[in-house]
Amino acid sequence: MNCLLPWFLAYFSGIVFSIFSAESFRFSLLISLSTLALSGYVFYKIRRRRLWMREFVALAGFLAFGFLAPGLHAPDSGDASLLRNLQESRRATVEGVVAEPPRVLDGKISHLIDLSSIQYADESKPVEGRARINFYGSLNTLKRLKMGDRVRIKRVRLKRPRNLKNPGGFDYARYLRFSGIQATGGIAKADQVDVLGFEPPPFYATFPERVRRAMLRQIDRNLQGETAALVKSLALGERRFLSEETYETFKATGLAHILAVSGLHLGIIAAAAFWVGYRISFKILWRWYPHFAHAGHARKWAALLSLLCVLFYAMIVGWKISAIRAGLMVFFYLAAILLDRDNSLFQAFLLAAFVILICNPVAVATAGFQLSFSAVLFILLALKFADSMEVDPVDRMGERSWFYRFFYGTALISLAAYLGTLPILIFHFHQISLIGFLANLIAVPFTLFVLPPLMAALAVGLVWQWGGDLLLFILSYPLSLLLLFCKVLASFPYASAFVPTPPKAWLLVYYFLVLGVPYFFYEKHRLAIKGSDTKEKFQQRCLAVGLALSLSMAIVWLAWPRFPDWKPRLLTIAVLDVGQGESIFLEFPNRQTLLVDGGGFYENSLDVGKAVLAPFLWNRGIRKLDYILATHSDQDHVSGLESLVRFFPIGNYLDLEGRSRDPRIFELGEDARRRGISRVIAKAGESLEFGEVLVTVLHPDVEFMNRRFGKRKKSKYKTGNNRSVVLRIDYKKFSMLLTADVEREAEEYLLKRGAALDVDVLKVPHHGSRFSSTAGFIAATSPAAAVFSAGYLNGFGHPHRQAVEKYRGAGAQIWRTDRDGAVFIETDGEEYEIHGHGRS
């Protein structure tokens, strides 16, 4: 068992350093060296002698293999690679085969297509690669596309998967790379798609989908509403049917893991199948072939049945990372039984991890891999610890009831999984359930008893509809109780909490604490039995002091992520990368905060407030915003604020006098009022003080807001844009202008009024549109740096080439969120620095 451990640790060490060194060199180097040192120590303990040169060379080889593995799996290798032939700025005609059944989502149909050719203008090239292409709008005819259809898609602009480059953001590009998707695109017209023919997919690819569709129809035939959605998610991993409110309820109670098919589900299916199979096979063998029963063949038959059930279930629900891990563990464990070899859960765990990381090294960076393997690892360690603390298990057999042992085991496993995955939940999702441990004490045993008959009902329904419907109807009542149970728990105050990201060193402190406390009690228990000398007592005291200090640091860093804050207090202005939109965060030297606009995607295809703004704020250790401001009511500016106020604590809503006629701005203000957020009214010409920093409203004044503009079809400019709020930021010698989406008319009005426009840094109006940034406005502002907020390869062509050249010609340094990621301006009031979070 342990012979595999040092090789795995060396390989794992190389992967960690290869993937994470670019993000955090020191931390990844520390983790990698620590893992490598542990590998050598385990090797030494196994061999019971010092390591020779050949062992060092072998471990170094596994380390190098791990370091090179992510590059060997790069999707852009080969002349026919899709990424090598991609021209992102141009529209293409592509041909390919629909690789999976299309998924109907809100407002779109998502297709995965294995491309065979790509054509730009008259030049066509054969390619290899998978693209996700979304069909938007009313495209009902396209729902008839099915797996195996050969299609031609015209006038589609394919892009490399790209992240919104903000600190703390979700690595969407890495997630798609792990999923095998190399490009994304979208179309909105039915005539852009031609079906060229049909290539029948293999049976093993279509069979799971047919079975899954039949099971979904059976659920819809017998159940309704949230109960039906819960069954689809619990049994088949189809979480898309759940409402957002229901899913958030399960997240708040720490039970979201039972909604996605995971190791828990496959483990339950395997255990149930083995339990049933063993009893049936033993009775058959005992009656007809007793010598086989004595030889233990019943266990082999049960193991084979269990393995077949697990493979069937995993095939039906799809090969997600947690399902692959659990499936491999079950396979290795049961294979050992079939082959009369020593079976060990830890050995199966290591083999599963090794296989996954060899096949796809990038998996180590995904939340699914980290959550799945950390939960299982800590469960195995907890079981090992509980076994080692037992004084004499033989003498105590039969002293405790099965109920006590079941409850004790459930509590131990739930606690181990909760503690093992807590840091990963914080760093990836910033949310922890404060009642998750207690909720799992009830929900996990419930799942244990309900899932096997639920899957049996769906399986029976495939061949005997009436019987399956009856079983499903009976099971609907306890499942409704589970739904009610979660809603009641989630309604408790402080059922869950959003927490800022602690420093990376907190991970080391936390895991030292979680692993060190059981070890402390184990040593104390061991020494109490055999006695201890002075040296061992001293070591115990040192360990106790170290654990006490670790506990203190863990609590302090979780409550105050910036501790100790040695950096000088600066004015920080971050023009965030929110795609084709705008959001600007200001943190003042006195630690007050202001968020100007919140970005927003077309038809809310991405919840910017939840997916971008909140993670950025948590990454900076911020728990609450002091002020928010919507400059105007365009979707790409206000949508993120509308979602942010729903779950992020906000102190004040900054509004402008006379804007109540704008229905969307008015509704945002009303929503803020209902949530207890104070409304602060500002006027043009007034300044708000944030310590030594002045934030002055330059535009629009009441006179401009009361102007009547012609009908939009007769007007050259959008009146909503010209009524955007313009702010001037002054801190000692530093100044910056935030111009939102104002265009030529508002710029000329500001010049006519003689507004103070001369600044060091300018946030360029309207994403760099050619209808803004007039020559007079650029001359009046005379910025040393110009910041464009625009989406990567957006359909509007922002920033326009003419606008960029105007500012470059005026001597301004150019910064763009579509290329540089989030642009940070930091100043002490005397000097300032500008840097981008990342470049494309």
Side-chain angles (χ1 to χ4, degrees):
M1 172 186 69
N2 292 329
C3 291
L4 183 65
L5 183 58
W7 309 111
F8 171 77
L9 290 175
Y11 178 70
F12 178 80
S13 176
I15 292 178
V16 168
F17 186 70
S18 176
I19 292 179
F20 296 108
S21 58
E23 301 172 11
S24 179
F25 179 83
R26 293 180 181 177
F27 186 75
S28 62
L29 180 62
L30 176 62
I31 296 297
S32 183
L33 290 177
S34 301
T35 308
L36 189 60
L38 180 61
S39 171
Y41 174 75
V42 172
F43 211 152
Y44 170 78
K45 295 293 286 185
I46 293 172
R47 295 299 181 89
R48 298 292 181 182
R49 57 179 174 81
R50 67 187 181 90
L51 273 64
W52 296 95
M53 181 57 66
R54 61 177 178 271
E55 280 92 0
F56 279 115
V57 171
L59 288 176
F62 271 78
L63 174 69
F65 180 39
F67 181 79
L68 297 174
L72 297 175
H73 286 76
D76 56 353
S77 58
D79 294 336
S81 166
L82 172 60
L83 292 180
R84 285 201 174 187
N85 293 280
L86 205 60
Q87 301 177 34
E88 294 180 297
S89 60
R90 303 177 63 188
R91 295 189 180 275
T93 297
V94 298
E95 291 186 12
V97 177
V98 180
E100 294 184 5
R103 301 181 72 84
V104 181
L105 306 172
D106 292 338
K108 65 182 179 182
I109 309 170
S110 182
H111 297 77
L112 290 181
I113 300 177
D114 288 330
L115 299 183
S116 58
S117 70
I118 187 167
Q119 177 181 340
Y120 291 101
D122 296 329
E123 183 181 7
S124 179
K125 293 183 178 180
V127 294
E128 296 177 357
R130 177 169 291 187
R132 173 185 286 169
I133 301 180
N134 295 324
F135 298 166
Y136 296 94
S138 180
L139 300 173
N140 293 327
T141 57
L142 296 178
K143 291 184 182 180
R144 292 179 295 179
L145 286 182
K146 56 186 177 299
M147 183 168 61
D149 280 342
R150 170 164 286 279
V151 295
R152 178 189 294 124
I153 303 176
K154 296 168 287 188
R155 303 187 305 279
V156 61
R157 180 179 291 170
L158 296 179
K159 302 179 184 178
R160 294 172 178 264
R162 180 185 180 274
N163 297 321
L164 295 176
K165 298 180 180 179
N166 306 292
F170 172 62
D171 198 334
Y172 179 67
R174 179 180 287 162
Y175 166 76
L176 290 186
R177 178 185 171 188
F178 171 73
S179 304
I181 298 171
Q182 300 169 23
T184 60
I187 62 172
K189 295 181 179 179
D191 62 1
Q192 291 180 254
V193 180
D194 296 326
V195 179
L196 305 178
F198 180 71
E199 296 184 4
F203 173 78
Y204 63 82
T206 58
F207 176 72
E209 181 61 23
R210 291 203 299 268
V211 173
R212 185 161 51 243
R213 283 202 303 264
M215 289 181 172
L216 289 174
R217 287 195 298 269
Q218 181 185 355
I219 295 170
D220 289 331
R221 191 169 58 245
N222 293 277
L223 305 176
Q224 295 179 347
E226 291 181 323
T227 304
L230 175 61
V231 172
K232 293 175 184 178
S233 183
L234 177 65
L236 302 176
E238 294 283 357
R239 191 172 62 81
R240 58 195 170 100
F241 295 101
L242 282 172
S243 66
E244 188 67 22
E245 180 183 358
T246 301
Y247 181 61
E248 290 298 328
T249 297
F250 276 83
K251 284 179 62 178
T253 54
L255 299 178
H257 64 95
I258 71 173
L259 298 179
V261 174
S262 63
L264 172 67
H265 297 66
L266 270 77
I268 290 174
I269 295 298
F274 189 89
W275 187 83
V276 173
Y278 179 76
R279 277 149 183 78
I280 295 175
S281 59
F282 185 82
K283 288 183 178 180
I284 293 175
L285 291 175
W286 185 258
R287 181 178 179 85
W288 301 103
Y289 305 99
H291 57 287
F292 284 158
H294 283 295
H297 284 207
R299 293 182 71 246
K300 293 185 177 183
W301 287 24
L304 181 61
L305 175 64
S306 179
L307 185 59
L308 293 175
C309 290
V310 167
L311 291 176
F312 177 78
Y313 184 55
M315 180 179 61
I316 296 302
V317 300
W319 293 100
K320 305 175 181 66
I321 188 71
S322 55
I324 294 174
R325 190 268 307 155
L328 287 173
M329 284 188 65
V330 170
F331 173 80
F332 292 133
Y333 187 82
L334 296 178
I337 296 177
L338 292 172
L339 298 174
D340 291 322
R341 302 293 298 271
D342 291 337
N343 52 349
S344 165
L345 283 175
F346 188 71
Q347 184 178 6
F349 169 80
L350 279 180
L351 284 170
F354 223 149
V355 170
I356 290 175
L357 292 183
I358 288 176
C359 294
N360 197 337
V362 182
V364 76
T366 63
F369 179 91
Q370 295 171 11
L371 287 171
S372 180
F373 280 90
S374 62
V376 175
L377 175 61
F378 273 79
I379 288 172
L380 295 176
L381 292 175
L383 295 175
K384 181 70 175 177
F385 170 75
D387 182 64
S388 66
M389 293 294 288
E390 193 69 65
V391 178
D392 191 346
V394 176
D395 291 343
R396 305 188 68 166
M397 286 180 61
E399 291 184 9
R400 293 164 179 165
S401 66
W402 69 269
F403 177 80
Y404 174 88
R405 293 195 300 271
F406 179 80
F407 180 81
Y408 174 78
T410 302
L412 182 65
I413 290 173
S414 297
L415 181 61
Y418 180 82
L419 294 176
T421 58
L422 181 64
I424 300 170
L425 292 172
I426 290 176
F427 275 85
H428 281 285
F429 306 107
H430 308 282
Q431 184 179 12
I432 56 175
S433 174
L434 302 180
I435 58 174
F437 170 64
L438 296 176
N440 276 278
L441 286 180
I442 298 175
V444 170
F446 176 87
T447 308
L448 174 64
F449 289 109
V450 169
L451 183 60
L454 178 59
M455 289 308 303
L458 295 176
V460 168
L462 297 175
V463 294
W464 183 26
Q465 178 178 324
W466 186 86
D469 290 351
L470 177 61
L471 288 174
L472 198 59
F473 175 76
I474 295 172
L475 290 170
S476 66
Y477 290 98
L479 289 167
S480 299
L481 290 177
L482 174 62
L483 199 59
L484 179 62
F485 169 73
C486 291
K487 289 183 177 180
V488 171
L489 284 185
S491 65
F492 290 166
Y494 307 108
S496 65
F498 290 97
V499 293
T501 308
K504 288 184 173 63
W506 181 82
L507 277 172
L508 302 178
V509 172
Y510 175 85
Y511 281 120
F512 171 74
L513 186 66
V514 171
L515 295 174
V517 168
Y519 179 76
F520 174 81
F521 285 105
Y522 167 76
E523 284 294 302
K524 187 175 180 180
H525 175 74
R526 184 180 65 84
L527 294 176
I529 296 175
K530 73 161 213 168
S532 59
D533 55 24
T534 305
K535 180 181 178 180
E536 290 174 328
K537 289 181 179 178
F538 176 74
Q539 291 174 346
Q540 280 288 95
R541 294 192 187 99
C542 290
L543 179 58
V545 172
L547 291 174
L549 291 175
S550 298
L551 178 61
S552 302
M553 288 305 302
I555 294 174
V556 168
W557 268 334
L558 197 58
W560 185 14
R562 294 185 175 187
F563 175 84
D565 193 357
W566 302 116
K567 293 183 179 180
R569 298 197 169 187
L570 305 173
L571 168 63
T572 300
I573 303 172
V575 183
L576 301 179
D577 179 11
V578 290
Q580 182 56 25
E582 187 167 299
S583 182
I584 302 173
F585 170 77
L586 297 92
E587 185 173 13
F588 303 99
N590 64 356
R591 292 294 182 257
Q592 285 185 288
T593 54
L594 166 65
L595 183 66
V596 180
D597 288 333
F601 273 58
Y602 175 68
E603 293 187 348
N604 288 323
S605 58
L606 176 69
D607 188 339
V608 177
K610 181 179 179 180
V612 180
L613 301 182
F616 166 78
L617 296 170
W618 288 321
N619 181 262
R620 292 186 66 84
I622 293 172
R623 296 179 180 274
K624 176 184 177 182
L625 282 171
D626 294 299
Y627 290 86
I628 60 170
L629 167 67
T631 60
H632 62 301
S633 58
D634 277 1
Q635 169 76 7
D636 61 337
H637 286 250
V638 75
S639 177
L641 293 180
E642 292 172 334
S643 63
L644 192 66
V645 299
R646 293 199 294 266
F647 64 93
F648 201 92
I650 296 170
N652 302 280
Y653 169 63
L654 187 59
D655 200 1
L656 211 64
E657 184 181 38
R659 290 207 299 172
S660 59
R661 288 173 294 181
D662 188 320
R664 194 163 187 182
I665 294 291
F666 175 77
E667 183 55 37
L668 176 62
E670 286 297 295
D671 191 22
R673 180 185 61 80
R674 288 191 294 268
R675 299 178 187 279
I677 302 173
S678 302
R679 187 184 183 204
V680 178
I681 305 296
K683 298 179 181 179
E686 290 186 349
S687 297
L688 287 81
E689 296 184 4
F690 297 87
E692 297 181 74
V693 181
L694 291 181
V695 178
T696 306
V697 180
L698 297 185
H699 181 79
D701 57 17
V702 175
E703 177 186 348
F704 189 88
M705 293 181 69
N706 288 334
R707 284 187 173 189
R708 295 183 62 85
F709 297 90
K711 293 182 180 180
R712 183 174 177 179
K713 64 181 180 180
K714 296 180 181 180
S715 175
K716 197 173 182 179
Y717 313 108
K718 297 178 181 179
T719 57
N721 288 340
N722 281 305
R723 288 193 176 113
S724 299
V725 177
V726 177
L727 300 177
R728 178 185 173 92
I729 316 297
D730 289 285
Y731 180 35
K732 298 179 183 178
K733 296 180 181 180
F734 172 81
S735 57
M736 181 173 178
L737 202 64
L738 308 182
T739 56
D741 275 2
V742 295
E743 295 178 330
R744 182 177 292 122
E745 186 167 5
E747 293 175 2
E748 292 173 350
Y749 185 78
L750 285 167
L751 291 170
K752 181 179 179 181
R753 284 181 49 230
L757 299 178
D758 186 25
V759 290
D760 297 304
V761 181
L762 171 69
K763 200 291 299 173
V764 174
H766 198 192
H767 317 289
S769 165
R770 63 191 178 94
F771 298 116
S772 60
S773 297
T774 61
F777 183 79
I778 295 176
T781 55
S782 61
V787 182
F788 293 83
S789 178
Y792 183 67
L793 292 180
N794 63 86
F796 300 96
H798 293 160
H800 197 275
R801 180 177 54 83
Q802 294 178 2
V804 175
E805 290 303 320
K806 285 180 185 179
Y807 285 100
R808 186 173 282 124
Q813 185 183 16
I814 304 299
W815 293 88
R816 299 170 50 167
T817 59
D818 59 336
R819 294 183 179 177
D820 303 313
V823 178
F824 288 84
I825 302 100
E826 296 179 332
T827 176
D828 59 0
E830 302 293 334
E831 298 178 348
Y832 65 91
E833 292 183 356
I834 304 180
H835 62 89
H837 184 63
R839 292 182 181 272
S840 297

